[in-house]
Amino acid sequence: GRVGGMLAAEVALHLQAAGSPPHLLHVAGRMAPGSFVAASEADLDSYSLASPEVRASAAYREWLLPTLLADLRADGRAERRVADALRRATGGGSGAALDCALQICCGDSDAAFPPS
């Protein structure tokens, strides 16, 4: 997931800083660090696959929505940590922050989220 990709990048940066760089960093399904946009409750409707009936339910509003918002806030915190760590690792330049292979996977034909 989103947070998992940021966690993997953060661990890879820490391992490299400790002198034991990973052999491979695999990240799937997320934008690059530094591109995070904070999401609000209103933004969730734009990418939530829940039906209007589900979104109108008390369970969605009282349980699921707060959980989703907490997840997005955690993702934002992780993204900011990794973006800062990448800037430190490159000295603010555009060089490679990690000395390992990268495997980045993302899709461009998800019917639920068509390219904009």
Side-chain angles (χ1 to χ4, degrees):
R2 294 178 330 272
V3 174
M6 285 292 104
L7 178 61
E10 191 169 18
V11 168
L13 287 164
H14 283 288
L15 287 171
Q16 180 162 297
S20 298
H23 297 285
L24 170 73
L25 172 61
H26 174 92
V27 180
R30 75 157 299 121
M31 298 184 305
S35 58
F36 180 81
V37 176
S40 68
E41 185 174 329
D43 295 325
L44 287 178
D45 285 339
S46 68
Y47 61 85
S48 173
L49 298 179
S51 69
E53 294 81 16
V54 167
R55 288 196 304 265
S57 72
Y60 180 83
R61 289 188 318 276
E62 296 168 11
W63 182 79
L64 188 57
L65 186 58
T67 302
L68 291 171
L69 289 170
D71 179 56
L72 289 172
R73 285 191 293 274
D75 188 44
R77 289 188 302 271
E79 194 277 341
R80 285 187 290 279
R81 277 194 318 273
V82 171
D84 290 345
L86 287 169
R87 278 190 289 280
R88 286 191 305 274
T90 62
S94 60
L98 290 168
D99 294 326
C100 68
L102 297 175
Q103 184 175 35
I104 311 295
C105 301
C106 70
D108 62 3
S109 60
D110 187 334
F113 300 95
S116 52

